[in-house]
Each structure stands twice: as structure tokens, then as C-alpha cells.
Amino acid sequence: MMSMSWEEAVQWLRNQPDQQFLVRACYFDDPLEEAAQRFWQSAEWKAIAALLPRPDGKALDLGAGRGISSYALARDGWEVTALEPDPSDLVGAGAIHSLAHASGLHLNVVSEFSEQLPFADNTFDVVNCRQVLHHARDLPQTCREIFRVLKPGGVMVATREHVLSKKEDLQAFLNAHSLHKFYGGENAFLLVEYISAMKDAGLRLDKVMAPLDSPINYFPMTPEQCFGHCTRPVADIIGRPLTNMVFNQRHLLGRTLLKMLISTINGRDNTPGRLYSFVAIKAETSGKR
């Protein structure tokens, strides 16, 4: 099909009565300020914020979309630049301007693509990329630009990136995606492609978070729901009450056993397009290694 713009595809989704949970989960609902505040208060954002330096400097929100991450960064105290090439009033720069006006937050909106950032070297303390890198037309170049505009010691957080086990899985992921058939803009990379692009750009990879490692990836599922999901195979064998005792999070042994179980499940997960997140740092000595 692929005859719609991204804005039209999102509007179609918003008009489907049976898709309202997905609309809210993607923060496509209105009023936009309420959706943005819900994101700021979410377990996903709290986990992202915990990975960032103390809010005291400049943050670039790459591929900002409707501006929910820009809003969250600004609420936390960052001086925010939102980079968004789509001018849309629903899912692009127009929406970010509206959000800034409604919230009273200062959000500097710049319309450009990630492969050619219109900023000087060493400008930002943080580059935030939420569901962005898998859309890059040139992933290595995007990572080089992120490295260039980060200050020495600066942090890049790239979250909810679609990962493939093998290239042949891409079509299965695209077929399963709710909106790709309408606008044709989805993509996914191998895990090694993300990691290589970051390292080759000069970034030092600090964290690689698999699907069940953090609410950043599994939100809107709650930690309790994630616990139930991870331990269900064990509960099916020994029962839920005993499973809850074995994996009791109040005790070191229980936390250790759950961590081992999650690692096993993550290692066996080959779902096309599963979500990973990354934290990378530009070394204090800014020369690329």
C-alpha cells in the first residue's frame, strides 16, 4: 500500500476504535501536553533519566517526533534542542511548537536530518535518540555526527531500537508492524551493526540493554507484568506461589535467580524487531580512537 505519509498513517491509527491502547502506548493521543506529561512520569522515562548526567547543560533530542522526550528533558532541567525534519502539526515540528506553547517550556526546534547536524562540534552534553537510529538512512554517518556534536564526556542514549538476528528477518518484522504497510518507513538493523556504528564513530559503549533488561524496552508492560512474563514457564511447572517465593525480589538470591532467568530469555529471543537500548559516551579526550 505505502501511499500515506507518516502523519496520515498515525491519524489512521488514531481513528481506529480497537487501537486506542496502542495510540496511548505510543503517545499519539491528545491533548499532547497530557500525553507528554504521562511520558515524563512513566517508568520508561524514569529509567532513561537515571542514565543521564545531572541536568545542567544542553541536550539534543534527535528525531524528536511529537516532542515527548524533549518535554521530559526540559521538565528535568535540560536546555533542549529538538531536531525534527517532519513539519507535521500532529507528529513533527509543528506539534513540538504547540507543545512548547502549551507547556510554557522553551524548546528550540530545528528541522534537519541526523546525517548532517547543523551544530558546531562539542555542543551538547546529551544526545537523546528515542526510536531514532533504526530510521537512519546512513547509520554510521548518524553516529559520527552524534559523536561530533557531543562534548567530551557527553552521553548518547539510544532507546527502543529494533534489532534483527539475521537480515532475512527484516521482512517478517515489516509485515508485523502496525503502520509500515501504510507509509513504508520502518527498518531494523543487526545488533552488531548498531554496536559497530557507535564504536567506529568513536563512541565508547557503556550499556547494551536487551528487551527484558529495562522498562525502557518493555514499557508499557509494568515491572510486575515483566516479572510474570519472565517466570511464567517456571510457574507452569511448580506453580505461581512457589515461583514467587523462589524469585522473591526482597532477597539477594531471588534477585540473582531472576537476573539469570532474564538473561537466558533475552539470549534465546530472536523475535524480529525486538527492542534494545544503548548508552555510549564520548571520551574526555575527544580524539577519535
Side-chain angles (χ1 to χ4, degrees):
M1 190 172 177
M2 291 189 293
S3 59
M4 295 183 183
S5 66
W6 173 235
E7 178 183 51
E8 291 168 336
V10 170
Q11 187 60 64
W12 174 88
L13 186 71
R14 283 163 43 116
N15 291 338
Q16 307 309 305
D18 62 339
Q19 296 293 328
Q20 293 311 297
F21 176 81
L22 180 58
V23 168
R24 282 182 58 83
C26 294
Y27 303 97
F28 291 151
D29 55 305
D30 287 329
L32 176 54
E33 186 181 4
E34 291 182 11
Q37 183 164 352
R38 194 172 72 249
F39 174 72
W40 179 57
Q41 295 171 333
S42 71
E44 178 191 342
W45 178 254
K46 291 182 188 302
I48 293 171
L51 300 170
L52 301 178
R54 181 172 60 88
D56 182 24
K58 296 182 178 181
L60 173 62
D61 189 20
L62 206 66
R66 303 190 85 200
I68 60 168
S69 292
S70 301
Y71 174 94
L73 286 161
R75 284 293 302 264
D76 281 354
W78 292 99
E79 180 184 336
V80 180
T81 296
L83 187 96
E84 177 50 56
D86 190 333
S88 166
D89 289 336
L90 176 62
V91 291
I96 304 172
H97 283 296
S98 296
L99 179 58
H101 178 75
S103 65
L105 296 171
H106 177 70
L107 303 175
N108 179 37
V109 185
V110 176
S111 296
E112 188 54 84
F113 290 93
S114 61
E115 288 83 0
Q116 190 171 356
L117 298 178
F119 310 111
D121 296 359
N122 309 321
T123 297
F124 297 100
D125 301 277
V126 164
V127 175
N128 178 71
C129 313
R130 183 179 187 267
Q131 298 178 324
V132 169
L133 296 187
H134 62 266
H135 290 295
R137 295 172 297 182
D138 186 332
L139 180 60
Q141 174 62 16
T142 292
C143 289
R144 287 191 292 269
E145 281 291 273
I146 291 170
F147 175 87
R148 182 182 65 78
V149 301
L150 270 175
K151 293 178 182 178
V155 177
M156 180 204 76
V157 179
T159 60
R160 300 176 69 87
E161 299 294 353
H162 292 299
V163 166
L164 304 171
S165 294
K166 54 184 185 296
K167 284 293 190 181
E168 293 78 13
D169 289 341
L170 178 59
Q171 194 57 53
F173 162 64
L174 297 179
N175 291 343
H177 194 279
S178 300
L179 296 179
H180 178 77
K181 61 186 176 183
F182 296 119
Y183 86 109
E186 287 302 320
N187 192 25
F189 293 104
L190 302 174
L191 182 59
V192 68
E193 290 181 293
Y194 288 110
I195 292 173
S196 295
M198 293 175 203
K199 288 185 174 180
D200 290 349
L203 293 163
R204 175 171 61 81
L205 200 61
D206 187 57
K207 291 183 185 295
V208 177
M209 291 170 280
L212 296 175
D213 285 344
S214 170
I216 295 171
N217 296 325
Y218 61 69
F219 189 84
M221 188 165 55
T222 66
E224 292 75 20
Q225 289 170 329
C226 182
F227 171 88
H229 171 78
C230 293
T231 59
R232 186 174 299 118
V234 179
D236 289 344
I237 298 171
I238 67 174
R240 176 53 64 185
L242 184 54
T243 298
N244 289 343
M245 289 178 59
V246 171
F247 295 100
N248 190 331
Q249 295 299 283
R250 289 178 294 180
H251 303 296
L252 176 61
L253 179 59
R255 293 194 297 272
T256 301
L257 290 173
L258 182 60
K259 186 176 180 179
M260 292 171 61
L261 179 61
I262 288 174
S263 179
T264 299
I265 296 172
N266 281 329
R268 293 179 178 178
D269 186 1
N270 291 310
T271 305
R274 61 196 180 277
L275 297 178
Y276 271 70
S277 294
F278 309 89
V279 180
I281 299 170
K282 181 173 180 175
E284 290 286 353
T285 53
S286 59
K288 180 178 170 182
R289 289 180 297 176

